[in-house]
Amino acid sequence: MDALTSPGGLAVVGVVLALLVGLLVLSRRGGGTAARDALVKRGRYGEAARMAADAGDFAVAFDLYLRAQEPENAAAIAVKRGDLRQAAELYERAANWERAVHFYQRAGMGPKADDLRAAHLAPAAAPRTRGGSDPPRSRAHELEARYRQAASAGATTDAAKVELQRQARDAADALLAEGELARAAEIYADAGLEDEAVHLYVNVLGQPGRAAPLVARRGNHQRAAELYELAGELERAAVAWVDVAKGSPRPDSFLERIGELSPKVALGYVEQELGGRPLSKATAEWHYQRAKLTAAGGDAARAQEYFEQLQAIVGPYRDVEERLRGLALPAPAPAPRAKTMQGPGSNLDPTQIELLASQVAEAAAQQLKRRVELSALPEAGASPSHVVRTEIRVIGLEQAPLVAGLLDDSAVLAARHGVGLDALKRFTGGRPCDLGNIEVYYRLGLYYLAHGNYDDALAAFDAVEDTSPAYRDAWKRAEEIRAWKKALGKVTRLAESDASPGRERYQLRGELGRGGMAVVYRAYDTALERDVALKFLSEELSTQPGIRELFQREARAVAALNHPNIVTVHDTGYLQGRAFLCMEFIEGQSVEALMTKGPGLTIIECVRIAKQVLDALAYAHGKQIIHRDIKPANMMRTEEGLVKLMDFGLAKSLAEGKKQSVIAGTPAYMPPEQLAGGDIDHRCDLFSVAVSLYEMLTGRLPFEGFERMTAPPPVSELVPAVPAPLDEAITRGLAYRAGDRWATAAEMNARLKPVLDAVDQMVAEKAAAASKRLASAKTEIVR
């Protein structure tokens, strides 16, 4: 043991760990390269190209796409690299005339763009002027005008509504191709295509306040409230939280949050709920909140009266005594406002910003088109193209391990982000499963499976099997669900405490993920009637001396964090002899998953994700809490576009345990002082954000192993389209010395702001121009 704690021993351990990490990285990369090479030998260039693109090897992917005769995919990579002329030539080769003209124009080759337009787009783009003063109308604006005209006539039948939505999609897709994102979002929202509109408003346009009413319209008031918070519309957020409280078995648990956002809204809600109810122990919290909010509103005399009544009837309650003493003191002078940091010049190239806007539009179109529609359902008998076999093994909770291949395969993944439950139920026609709606019932089973509702999934697949035995793989899926339920055994229902086995608080509904220290389940909280995530620590950690007190103390501190970009902790304790955290359940995907699927993330999406993470860190650092394990896997983007930071404070709460090297963070994202086991502060989180952003943009990590002294290549060398402020934010965030990094999360965020502002301004200008053209089109229709 002395040898290990000596400087020489530590050096040897460091070298061994570095070698192990290096071998792991090489083995992973080598495996991927070998599989890709095998595909190339068999002439399957397209598959190999997609594998290379997923791995971030864009140069290799580009060459392979050309060999596969897929010029459009190669053009997309050329756009990502900032080579607009090459992108235009490839789009021309693919006969995608609109995109070719678009990028020739952007590359400064106007005559070439005009020649192509005249030769191939003349019918759609021919000038139609009145008096020679109006610009020509593009195909997108023609489609938009047709949709608006059809919408004004109304749709009275289901068939007419489907046709109207098809026209809306066509118009919105065409507008996306021309970079008019705001107009596309408006059409999606107007046509009732809310998922597409929310995606554009939150993830692409950075306008969460515009998405919030759409989310609320679907009944998800909590997500709407968080979106309003993210947009800075605090009073509207407070009103949305009131809607959440009204639908909760414990409405008083939301009063603190509502009061922080808008004391006026909170006080109105409290007084409405109290009505004439007398003060008692049952209503003590409501009366306490009324007194506190009255004091915040400046009516000290009435607040004092309320607090004194509470103290006289209920007795000592929370901090009433301290508040009464505080009301007797003169109010403190307001704290000086912090000066807004004025960053250096933005150094933004207009061509780069226009390219970013084009990237956003192209990626948005691809992402929206990937959504599963009933009209695109595979034919009966089709089977999933790829099956992920997962070994599910939980020591201490499950009675036996099992291998489940159809609980989380590609078909389930598609259902997770495909057609909604309401639409599927509508397409059943309200009938039990029969040969006319059997495919819809099969899809219902996939939907329930994707969302962890195993009982309903089993019922749907059994109905399919009863209607038509051996229909697709319904019987296999039902069999695996039964095996899962049997493996869980009696512990699918967990008692509220070890001493109260009859009070079953949580019902397990499926596994969400696992790591070296814990496993996370989806569960249902029967007391508060909501879905939650239960995170169980390993048995070894749960039984370590002192870990119970340390874990619960830190969990209480993290539970006090109240921010829309931080996952909420509801409860902590012990179940089945295991330490656990009960957290908010998030419908969405990790940023790590978003990086590796489909076309990946655009530059602007990466910046918007980083902004939300930095907002969360600025809040947490202000509460003296450091995350210490920032990485894409711990960033979750909800279906509504909110980014939530996961595992907040957990690593810190366990850092004093015996397995510090395992649970104190992830080495690839750690700054040098954290790797060395030295003192750290909030700047270690900012280093990890910079590493994550570097990886999101380039598809590779900036450092190999534990080496941190040598600065990595600037992101702009690998992705030329990255603008200077973003490049600077990452480079400074990766500085070896903590003192050379950004001082605060807010300061780092301020450096990203010019990029978002410039793109938002360009989008606003295009939206204004589109509105003007639409007004002209309406005038022409009237004429």
Side-chain angles (χ1 to χ4, degrees):
M1 184 62 68
D2 292 339
L4 287 175
T5 57
S6 67
L10 288 174
V12 171
V13 171
V15 170
V16 171
L17 287 174
L19 287 172
L20 289 174
V21 170
L23 287 172
L24 179 60
V25 170
L26 287 173
S27 65
R28 291 176 62 184
R29 291 183 176 176
T33 303
R36 190 173 70 208
D37 290 345
L39 290 171
V40 171
K41 287 181 179 178
R42 286 182 283 172
R44 294 163 64 178
Y45 302 120
E47 294 177 52
R50 281 178 276 281
M51 183 178 290
D54 289 342
D57 295 337
F58 296 113
V60 174
F62 180 83
D63 292 336
L64 288 171
Y65 276 133
L66 292 180
R67 294 174 70 182
Q69 299 298 312
E70 297 182 23
E72 285 197 84
N73 287 327
I77 293 179
V79 171
K80 189 178 183 70
R81 296 193 304 196
D83 194 336
L84 303 184
R85 176 171 179 168
Q86 187 176 53
E89 291 171 348
L90 287 165
Y91 279 124
E92 182 181 3
R93 177 174 160 187
N96 188 334
W97 311 118
E98 289 185 355
R99 301 300 286 165
V101 167
H102 178 72
F103 283 107
Y104 274 130
Q105 197 74 46
R106 301 279 286 282
M109 301 174 67
K112 177 68 173 177
D114 292 340
D115 290 344
L116 273 186
R117 185 183 292 111
H120 299 285
L121 300 178
R128 296 194 303 155
T129 64
R130 295 186 300 273
S133 59
D134 292 330
R137 291 171 60 193
S138 69
R139 176 175 175 273
H141 302 135
E142 293 281 358
L143 291 172
E144 181 181 16
R146 289 178 202 166
Y147 162 73
R148 297 288 185 190
Q149 190 173 18
S152 64
T156 56
T157 66
D158 287 341
K161 290 176 182 176
V162 170
E163 172 59 21
L164 190 60
Q165 286 197 341
R166 185 195 65 75
Q167 290 187 40
R169 286 185 188 278
D170 289 345
D173 288 349
L175 287 167
L176 286 172
E178 294 186 8
E180 295 191 10
L181 311 177
R183 299 298 302 167
E186 288 177 16
I187 288 181
Y188 280 134
D190 182 68
L193 300 168
E194 293 165 351
D195 287 341
E196 290 85 344
V198 168
H199 169 76
L200 283 179
Y201 279 133
V202 180
N203 300 324
V204 179
L205 292 167
Q207 299 174 355
R210 299 287 299 275
L214 302 177
V215 174
R217 197 160 68 192
R218 296 187 298 191
N220 196 339
H221 297 292
Q222 179 170 335
R223 287 287 177 262
E226 291 172 329
L227 288 168
Y228 278 131
E229 281 190 62
L230 196 63
E233 300 178 35
L234 302 187
E235 190 155 323
R236 299 183 76 176
V239 172
W241 279 115
V242 168
D243 291 333
V244 176
K246 287 179 177 178
S248 169
R250 285 281 313 280
D252 57 327
S253 65
F254 295 93
L255 295 179
E256 294 277 0
R257 186 163 197 164
I258 298 169
E260 289 179 4
L261 295 168
S262 174
K264 176 184 174 182
V265 171
L267 184 57
Y269 174 52
V270 169
E271 290 180 339
Q272 178 188 6
E273 286 294 314
L274 277 176
R277 293 163 66 190
L279 177 57
S280 65
K281 287 187 177 180
T283 62
E285 181 62 22
W286 293 91
H287 284 272
Y288 168 80
Q289 291 293 340
R290 181 174 67 171
K292 190 172 75 167
L293 292 165
T294 301
D299 193 343
R302 180 166 293 184
Q304 183 173 352
E305 179 185 343
Y306 288 152
F307 279 129
E308 287 174 348
Q309 289 176 357
L310 184 61
Q311 197 173 47
I313 295 176
V314 178
Y317 189 81
R318 294 182 64 169
D319 59 353
V320 169
E321 188 68 37
E322 295 176 22
R323 289 187 176 275
L324 281 170
R325 286 197 299 270
L327 287 172
L329 298 174
R337 294 176 63 87
K339 294 182 179 179
T340 304
M341 191 203 76
Q342 300 295 330
S346 61
N347 301 326
L348 289 171
D349 179 353
T351 305
Q352 272 188 326
I353 292 303
E354 197 172 353
L355 175 60
L356 293 184
S358 173
Q359 274 192 356
V360 170
E362 185 175 356
Q366 290 180 11
Q367 289 163 350
L368 292 173
K369 285 179 180 177
R370 287 203 314 272
R371 293 186 178 276
V372 180
E373 300 182 41
L374 280 174
S375 60
L377 292 176
E379 297 296 328
S383 59
S385 59
H386 178 61
V387 174
V388 180
R389 301 203 63 82
T390 307
E391 184 174 3
I392 301 173
R393 186 188 300 270
V394 186
I395 302 172
L397 286 177
E398 289 176 347
Q399 295 179 345
L402 71 151
V403 175
L406 297 176
L407 298 184
D408 194 26
D409 64 354
S410 58
V412 175
L413 179 63
R416 190 171 298 148
H417 307 288
V419 180
L421 182 60
D422 290 342
L424 287 168
K425 286 184 175 180
R426 193 163 59 248
F427 276 91
T428 65
R431 308 189 310 273
C433 184
D434 56 39
L435 293 178
N437 62 15
I438 189 170
E439 178 61 22
V440 183
Y441 269 88
Y442 179 83
R443 287 287 167 165
L444 270 171
L446 292 177
Y447 176 91
Y448 288 128
L449 197 55
H451 292 82
N453 195 337
Y454 283 20
D455 290 338
D456 286 342
L458 182 59
F461 288 130
D462 280 345
V464 170
E465 177 66 12
D466 291 343
T467 302
S468 177
Y471 182 85
R472 300 184 65 174
D473 55 6
W475 69 274
K476 291 182 180 179
R477 293 184 185 276
E479 190 176 78
E480 286 202 0
I481 295 172
R482 288 191 176 90
W484 163 259
K485 291 167 70 71
K486 182 179 179 182
L488 284 175
K490 296 179 181 179
V491 296
T492 54
R493 298 175 179 267
L494 301 178
E496 195 168 357
S497 70
D498 293 342
S500 56
R503 298 176 61 189
E504 295 169 340
R505 173 71 182 271
Y506 300 107
Q507 298 175 2
L508 297 186
R509 289 188 170 178
E511 182 180 327
L512 295 174
R514 61 179 60 247
M517 57 176 288
V519 62
V520 183
Y521 285 100
R522 179 173 182 166
Y524 183 71
D525 184 339
T526 59
L528 298 181
E529 299 179 357
R530 63 185 174 190
D531 287 324
V532 295
L534 293 182
K535 183 163 190 171
F536 288 88
L537 297 184
S538 68
E539 288 183 314
E540 181 181 358
L541 286 173
S542 295
T543 57
Q544 282 186 19
I547 200 71
R548 181 194 295 252
E549 180 184 353
L550 180 65
F551 177 68
Q552 291 182 343
R553 184 171 69 244
E554 188 63 27
R556 283 192 294 270
V558 176
L561 296 177
N562 183 3
H563 192 275
N565 296 123
I566 297 176
V567 171
T568 303
V569 174
H570 298 310
D571 193 14
T572 182
Y574 269 64
L575 288 172
Q576 300 293 126
R578 301 268 293 281
F580 83 102
L581 278 178
C582 175
M583 302 175 291
E584 168 190 10
F585 173 72
I586 304 297
E587 288 271 15
Q589 297 184 77
S590 71
V591 172
E592 181 181 56
L594 292 171
M595 289 162 52
T596 57
K597 293 175 183 174
L601 295 167
T602 66
I603 293 174
I604 289 299
E605 281 184 294
C606 294
V607 177
R608 294 203 193 284
I609 289 168
K611 177 193 177 298
Q612 294 188 58
V613 170
L614 288 167
D615 283 342
L617 290 176
Y619 173 82
H621 293 167
K623 301 285 186 182
Q624 305 301 309
I625 294 181
I626 308 169
H627 191 289
R628 304 213 320 167
D629 195 19
I630 300 291
K631 57 185 177 181
N634 280 340
M635 305 169 191
M636 185 77 90
R637 192 168 77 180
T638 72
E639 293 184 341
E640 295 78 25
L642 277 165
V643 175
K644 296 270 189 177
L645 208 45
M646 311 281 288
D647 281 348
F648 220 104
L650 184 61
K652 181 183 178 184
S653 69
L654 298 175
E656 298 176 25
K658 294 180 180 179
K659 286 195 171 186
Q660 183 171 349
S661 62
V662 175
I663 59 179
T666 306
Y669 302 89
M670 288 183 183
E673 65 271 20
Q674 190 176 0
L675 281 171
D679 294 335
I680 62 170
D681 61 17
H682 62 280
R683 289 170 295 188
C684 78
D685 283 345
L686 304 185
F687 182 94
S688 300
V689 171
V691 174
S692 301
L693 197 46
Y694 192 105
E695 183 184 20
M696 288 156 60
L697 289 163
T698 67
R700 53 179 273 189
L701 290 166
F703 302 104
E704 292 283 351
F706 297 108
E707 202 281 322
R708 297 290 185 272
M709 285 287 288
T710 305
V715 174
S716 57
E717 286 188 11
L718 304 172
V719 185
V722 167
L726 179 54
D727 211 7
E728 180 191 339
I730 297 171
T731 300
R732 184 169 169 185
L734 294 175
Y736 182 82
R737 292 180 62 255
D740 294 333
R741 298 177 205 143
W742 299 101
T744 65
E747 189 180 7
M748 185 175 182
N749 223 346
R751 196 68 192 105
L752 302 178
K753 190 173 184 296
V755 180
L756 295 175
D757 287 348
V759 173
D760 291 345
Q761 181 180 351
M762 177 168 291
V763 169
E765 290 172 355
K766 289 192 174 187
S771 296
K772 185 177 179 180
R773 284 192 294 266
L774 180 61
S776 298
K778 288 180 178 177
T779 303
E780 185 177 324
I781 290 171
V782 171
R783 288 180 182 179

